[in-house]
Amino acid sequence: MLRRAVAAEARRRQRISVAPERFAHDHAQPQAQSAGPKRRGLEPWWLPLYRRISKVSDGKPPGIVAAEMDEWLQQRSRLSEQQILAYVRELTRFEKNEGALELLDWMEARGANLSPGHQAVRLKLVSKVHGIQAAEEYFWSLPDISKSVKTYSCLLNCYGNHGLAYKGLELYEKMKAKNIVPDKLVYNYLMKLYQKAGQPEKVLSTFEEMRESGISADKFAYFTLIESYITMNDLDAAEKVLEELQKVAPVHWSLYTLMANYYIKLELFGKAEVALKKVEQVMDKAELQSWTALLSLHARCGNSTEVKRIWESLKSTFKKCLNRSYLVMLQALRMIDDFESLQQIFQEWQSSHECYDVRIINIMIRAYLDKGMIDEAEAIRQSTMAQGRCDGGTVCIFAEFYLDKFDVNAAVDILGDAKNMVTAHKWVPSKELVSKFLKHYEELKDVAGVESFLECLNSLECLDAETYDAVMQTYVLAGRT
């Protein structure tokens, strides 16, 4: 019996052995470097379980994903580590970071020893799910042997993503003290940190240091280098770098969109259009992000003809238009004030969408309010609220609209309806929105109004001492000392 138990335990552990390091390395790449990663996909027989864990990865209590995995093991055949890590990759790709992190935790709980590469993936997920402090604690809890260039570079990236450039630069000094030789990822993250820290000149010296050390620059490094020249308002230098790069290597489309964005800021729309034509020439047509970038940038150029041409090309390229595509197209049409086309595309989405996206609804509401078509906007709100689909953004759109129109009572009515509008979770207004209300009451010296507003905040369970202190100013101005 003992031998059978030991053998069974060994088989169980084999189910979740460690996958190739390449997986972790791919996911440690900077976002700009992998602007549109190609999907490696899942094996057909992996899909049933993936659908189950993907479904419970959104806003569910911790432990649900692990419970699904345990139940699957009890009811069906074994799982391979390649399969589980493929699930982690797919969940991460769709920003279902809680589920991805829980899968890695589940693996460790069942005896899997994560490599430094996998620990880097876990570190990144901890940073996204629990914050930078939790990520720091996880990193420093790792044994020294696991504090490799992979985990160090990942923490560097986490600091950059959380806007803590100074901490990232301090970490780099510790890496140098430990004689950790920087690789391409470290240099890329370091340049990004200097850029975020407002030290673009150090990006240039780091770029040269990387090349002198024998490491060839990739598209991410060139992206940051050109970005640094743009920050220093050195358009000639940025153009020169791009010209030199074109002579020696294929140029990634994101570099052309970076230049187009800068040309638009300088109102050099002709140069921007030339850069966008380059994007079309070099981009991978199967990469959705390049298409949505073209839509947005042509809209910022005010080029309605190009926006519509790109939209038709996008639809002919992809079998199914995703919500993301409709979202960007509607934003583009609103930007160029093509209201008729916006209505048509919205109706097209309504008749074809498979997944509901309240962001698209909110764009249409904003468009109607921009035109003063309040009844139409309210009709969408009521319909969306009846389906339980509104979010906090819907509340804010209406509240801010009525405040801008000096109809404070209507804005308060919207807040009073917030509980009926946002049913999926508890919603409270931002401090900025509360401040806008209070400013109106101060200017009008409206004591009765501010007291009604306080009752509304109390019903939303978000009345605090700071708001009470701000209300006192209205009383003082009204002579109610």
Side-chain angles (χ1 to χ4, degrees):
M1 286 292 291
L2 180 59
R3 288 179 180 175
R4 288 181 182 176
V6 171
E9 176 65 15
R11 286 193 299 272
R12 181 185 65 77
R13 287 175 180 264
Q14 284 175 353
R15 291 171 177 169
I16 50 171
S17 56
V18 182
E21 235 172 76
R22 181 181 68 253
F23 168 79
H25 179 73
D26 289 346
H27 275 270
Q29 299 301 313
Q31 186 174 358
Q33 188 174 3
S34 55
K38 292 183 179 179
R39 182 177 183 181
R40 283 172 283 179
L42 300 172
E43 299 292 346
W45 51 91
W46 294 352
L47 289 174
L49 177 56
Y50 174 73
R51 291 192 183 104
R52 285 173 58 172
I53 61 176
S54 176
K55 187 176 180 180
V56 299
S57 293
D58 290 327
K60 301 293 183 180
I64 298 295
V65 171
E68 286 287 342
M69 298 296 287
D70 289 335
E71 183 180 346
W72 185 272
L73 275 182
Q74 291 171 4
Q75 296 177 353
R76 292 172 176 80
S77 60
R78 52 186 263 173
L79 292 166
S80 68
E81 108 252 346
Q82 180 186 7
Q83 179 179 353
I84 299 169
L85 291 171
Y87 292 161
V88 172
R89 180 177 66 245
E90 289 296 296
L91 291 172
T92 304
R93 196 170 74 89
F94 289 102
E95 296 296 324
K96 297 186 177 185
N97 299 311
E98 292 87 352
L101 179 58
E102 194 170 328
L103 270 182
L104 288 176
D105 290 344
W106 181 84
M107 285 180 69
E108 282 195 299
R110 297 182 69 86
N113 294 317
L114 299 184
S115 70
H118 296 122
Q119 287 165 339
V121 175
R122 190 180 188 282
L123 176 62
K124 181 180 179 181
L125 290 169
V126 169
S127 170
K128 289 187 173 184
V129 175
H130 300 300
I132 190 62
Q133 185 175 346
E136 288 176 314
E137 291 172 359
Y138 174 69
F139 175 81
W140 295 114
S141 72
L142 293 172
D144 288 341
I145 194 172
S146 295
K147 292 190 181 79
S148 65
V149 68
K150 282 188 172 72
T151 48
Y152 266 106
S153 65
C154 185
L155 186 57
L156 273 179
N157 189 39
C158 291
Y159 281 134
N161 290 337
H162 284 270
L164 299 171
Y166 71 96
K167 279 200 167 188
L169 298 176
E170 288 174 1
L171 181 68
Y172 181 63
E173 292 302 318
K174 292 177 182 178
M175 292 174 65
K176 290 199 293 187
K178 290 180 176 291
N179 296 317
I180 295 176
V181 179
D183 61 5
K184 186 179 294 188
L185 271 179
V186 171
Y187 277 119
N188 283 341
Y189 291 145
L190 184 60
M191 285 189 282
K192 201 65 184 176
L193 285 169
Y194 281 132
Q195 180 68 13
K196 289 188 176 183
Q199 303 176 44
E201 67 285 349
K202 289 192 175 181
V203 173
L204 314 184
S205 59
T206 304
F207 184 87
E208 289 304 318
E209 179 187 328
M210 178 179 70
R211 295 217 294 192
E212 289 171 4
S213 65
I215 299 175
S216 59
D218 57 13
K219 57 180 175 283
F220 178 80
Y222 277 109
F223 188 97
T224 311
L225 178 64
I226 293 175
E227 193 176 37
S228 67
Y229 280 124
I230 288 174
T231 302
M232 295 185 289
N233 294 317
D234 193 342
L235 177 59
D236 291 340
E239 289 179 328
K240 185 178 179 181
V241 170
L242 189 57
E243 287 172 7
E244 291 177 356
L245 180 59
Q246 287 174 327
K247 296 175 183 177
V248 298
V251 177
H252 191 260
W253 63 266
S254 61
L255 292 174
Y256 290 119
T257 58
L258 177 65
M259 291 302 297
N261 185 55
Y262 188 47
Y263 288 138
I264 292 168
K265 288 181 179 178
L266 297 176
E267 298 186 0
L268 299 172
F269 299 114
K271 282 194 168 187
E273 292 288 354
V274 171
L276 294 179
K277 289 296 182 185
K278 289 281 189 180
V279 172
E280 286 192 69
Q281 292 172 13
V282 302
M283 73 186 197
D284 179 355
K285 298 296 190 292
E287 189 175 352
L288 179 60
Q289 190 174 353
S290 57
W291 290 101
T292 55
L294 285 170
L295 285 173
S296 297
L297 290 167
H298 278 304
R300 289 181 57 202
C301 288
N303 195 328
S304 174
T305 302
E306 284 297 283
V307 167
K308 292 176 182 177
R309 182 183 68 81
I310 293 297
W311 175 247
E312 292 303 320
S313 297
L314 184 157
K315 289 200 295 183
S316 65
T317 301
F318 297 93
K319 292 181 179 179
K320 179 72 177 177
C321 267
L322 302 178
N323 284 344
R324 172 63 181 163
S325 301
Y326 279 107
L327 182 69
V328 175
M329 181 57 177
L330 290 169
Q331 288 170 334
L333 292 171
R334 181 169 174 253
M335 193 182 302
I336 60 179
D337 197 24
D338 188 344
F339 188 68
E340 183 179 347
S341 296
L342 189 144
Q343 287 179 302
Q344 291 174 356
I345 298 298
F346 179 66
Q347 290 169 3
E348 179 183 311
W349 173 79
Q350 282 184 308
S351 64
S352 65
H353 72 270
E354 294 178 357
C355 299
Y356 200 87
D357 193 333
V358 71
R359 296 174 301 171
I360 292 175
I361 297 295
N362 287 341
I363 289 176
M364 203 63 213
I365 288 173
R366 284 185 187 276
Y368 277 127
L369 293 177
D370 288 344
K371 297 294 182 183
M373 301 170 69
I374 299 175
D375 291 342
E376 287 80 358
E378 278 289 351
I380 293 180
R381 180 175 81 91
Q382 293 296 335
S383 173
T384 308
M385 186 166 61
Q387 299 175 59
R389 302 284 195 174
C390 291
D391 67 353
T394 317
V395 181
C396 291
I397 290 168
F398 277 98
E400 290 175 351
F401 171 78
Y402 286 123
L403 283 175
D404 291 342
K405 297 294 182 183
F406 299 100
D407 191 347
V408 188
N409 291 334
V412 172
D413 289 342
I414 288 291
L415 280 192
D417 216 10
K419 280 190 174 181
N420 296 324
M421 293 173 66
V422 186
T423 57
H425 56 85
K426 180 183 176 182
W427 177 84
V428 296
S430 65
K431 290 185 180 296
E432 291 76 17
L433 183 59
V434 171
S435 296
K436 285 184 179 180
F437 274 97
L438 294 175
K439 184 180 178 181
H440 276 275
Y441 293 124
E442 285 179 19
E443 292 174 350
L444 297 172
K445 302 176 184 179
D446 185 358
V447 172
V450 81
E451 288 177 345
S452 175
F453 177 61
L454 288 180
E455 291 177 9
C456 184
L457 293 183
N458 191 44
S459 70
L460 292 171
E461 301 174 13
C462 61
L463 189 56
D464 55 23
E466 186 178 344
T467 304
Y468 266 119
D469 290 341
V471 167
M472 292 303 105
Q473 184 65 19
T474 302
Y475 281 101
V476 170
L477 292 173
R480 296 278 295 276
T481 55

